[in-house]
């Protein structure tokens, strides 16, 4: 099931150029963020994340609609983006608020005990990963099954609980895609920026931990930041588009495919009046 879904996702990407838009736009905005924070500081650069958060739901809604309907024209993409924009945006805000609220509630007793500083990263991961795991398919549920805001979140949890083996296989395959894309790009990036990154070898763990973005910018220089931005666009475009298309196809085949339940075979006989008697 997982392998077949991945194969079909790759076929869809090869046939429909509009399906490349979500990852491409995300990569370009992230690359612009890197360049802006180098040139003008983080204040202006972080505003791009707000634009990205508003734009990506529209692009995903249009892409999911095309995958669902099989249409590949621009009008279908735009119509789907407008129709399901808020169906994706609003649940994502609910999930983000749930993550923040959970982290806050868990952090309160730790802050009282004075141990929050040491364990805060683990608290964030411990609260974020389970919520994302169970609600990951909310957007596909919203588009493929026309679910409302809270119903699509409930449906995602239901899918994960009912098919844990398939879902774990999907996540493992997605992590594999990320590694297959990221490792070659990381090797190329390191080899091209070897001279700029060489001082990191002589740093002790304390210096590396204290490494800030301005220091890293100074080490890389503008050409290094520009090369990093190009690698980022390539990586996000490839991995992001493959994973979200894979996710849509996986959900479609898992939840909307032919039923895997074997029909019950009734045993009995009809009497002379045509009435059925079950053994």
């Amino acid at each position: 099931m997982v392998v077949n879904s991945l194969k079909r996702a790759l076929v869809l990407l090869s046939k429909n150029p509009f399906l490349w838009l979500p990852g491409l736009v995300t990569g370009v905005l992230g690359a612009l963020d890197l360049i802006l924070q180098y040139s003008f500081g983080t204040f202006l650069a972080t505003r791009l994340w707000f634009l990205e958060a508003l734009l990506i739901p529209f692009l995903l809604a249009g892409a999911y609609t095309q995958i669902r309907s099989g249409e590949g024209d621009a009008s279908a993409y735009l119509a789907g983006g407008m129709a399901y924009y808020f169906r994706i945006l609003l649940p994502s805000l609910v999930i983000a608020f749930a993550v923040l609220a959970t982290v806050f509630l868990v952090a309160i007793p730790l802050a009282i005990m004075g141990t929050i500083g040491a364990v805060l990263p683990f608290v964030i991961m411990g609260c974020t990963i389970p919520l994302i795991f169970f609600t990951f398919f909310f957007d596909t549920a919203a588009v493929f099954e026309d679910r409302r805001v809270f119903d699509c979140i409930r449906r995602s949890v239901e899918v994960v609980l009912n098919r844990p083996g398939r879902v774990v296989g999907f996540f493992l395959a997605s992590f594999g895609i990320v590694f297959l894309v990221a490792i070659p790009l990381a090797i190329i990036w390191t080899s091209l920026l070897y001279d700029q990154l060489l001082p990191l070898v002589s740093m002790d763990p304390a210096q590396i931990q204290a490494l800030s973005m301005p220091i890293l910018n100074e080490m890389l220089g503008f050409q290094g930041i520009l090369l990093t931005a190009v690698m980022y666009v390539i990586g996000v475009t490839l991995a992001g588009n493959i994973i979200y298309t894979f996710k849509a196809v996986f959900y479609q085949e898992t939840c909307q495919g032919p039923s895997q339940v074997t029909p019950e075979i009734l045993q009995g006989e009809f009497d002379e009046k045509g009435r059925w008697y079950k053994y």
Side-chain angles (χ1 to χ4, degrees), residues 64 95 129-141 152-153 156-157 160 167 170-171 174 243-244 246-248 250-251:
Y64 287 152
I95 295 170
I129 293 175
L131 285 173
I132 292 179
F133 178 78
F134 285 103
T135 62
F136 189 70
F137 297 98
F138 78 92
D139 51 353
T140 50
C152 68
I153 298 175
S156 177
V157 175
V160 174
V167 172
F170 165 80
F171 279 108
S174 298
I243 289 174
Y244 96 80
F246 176 34
K247 170 185 175 180
F250 174 81
Y251 185 89

Side-chain angles (χ1 to χ4, degrees), residues 7-247:
K7 289 180 179 178
R8 186 183 162 211
L10 295 175
V11 171
L12 288 174
L13 285 170
S14 66
K15 293 181 177 180
N16 188 349
F18 289 102
L19 297 183
W20 290 91
L21 285 177
L24 178 61
V25 173
T26 303
V28 170
L29 290 177
L32 287 176
D33 178 74
L34 289 174
I35 295 173
L36 287 176
Q37 64 83 23
Y38 176 84
S39 303
F40 303 102
T42 58
F43 178 79
L44 180 61
T46 52
R47 299 304 181 268
L48 279 179
W49 291 107
F50 180 74
L51 175 62
E52 183 177 338
L54 294 177
L55 183 59
I56 296 305
F58 176 84
L59 298 174
L60 285 176
Y64 287 152
T65 303
Q66 286 194 330
I67 295 173
R68 183 188 67 178
S69 63
E71 300 178 10
D73 56 287
S75 60
Y77 191 96
L78 295 175
M82 291 186 290
Y84 291 98
Y85 175 72
F86 288 103
R87 296 282 186 94
I88 294 179
L89 176 64
L90 296 180
S92 63
L93 295 177
V94 172
I95 295 170
F97 176 78
V99 170
L100 293 176
T102 305
V103 171
F104 179 75
L105 292 175
V106 174
I108 289 177
L110 296 175
I112 294 174
M113 293 184 294
T115 59
I116 185 62
V119 299
L120 182 59
F122 301 100
V123 170
I124 295 175
M125 289 190 296
C127 295
T128 303
I129 293 175
L131 285 173
I132 292 179
F133 178 78
F134 285 103
T135 62
F136 189 70
F137 297 98
F138 78 92
D139 51 353
T140 50
V143 176
F144 286 99
E145 298 183 4
D146 204 24
R147 302 270 179 164
R148 300 289 179 177
V149 175
F150 292 100
D151 193 29
C152 68
I153 298 175
R154 182 197 62 79
R155 176 58 173 161
S156 177
V157 175
E158 179 183 286
V159 169
V160 174
L161 291 177
N162 289 340
R163 302 166 180 85
R166 291 183 182 179
V167 172
V168 170
F170 165 80
F171 279 108
L172 291 177
S174 298
F175 290 138
I177 293 169
V178 172
F179 282 118
L180 287 176
V181 173
I183 290 177
L185 291 176
I187 294 174
I188 296 172
W189 180 77
T190 304
S191 62
L192 293 176
L193 297 177
Y194 177 79
D195 293 335
Q196 292 91 326
L197 297 174
L198 190 59
L200 292 175
V201 178
S202 59
M203 291 183 178
D204 56 39
Q207 290 176 316
I208 294 177
Q209 187 176 5
L211 192 65
S212 62
M213 200 64 193
I215 297 175
L216 187 60
N217 287 337
E218 184 178 352
M219 290 176 56
L220 295 178
F222 181 74
Q223 290 185 344
I225 292 293
L226 191 60
L227 179 61
T228 303
V230 171
M231 293 296 176
Y232 182 85
V233 172
I234 296 173
V236 172
T237 300
L238 290 175
N241 284 324
I242 293 173
I243 289 174
Y244 96 80
T245 309
F246 176 34
K247 170 185 175 180

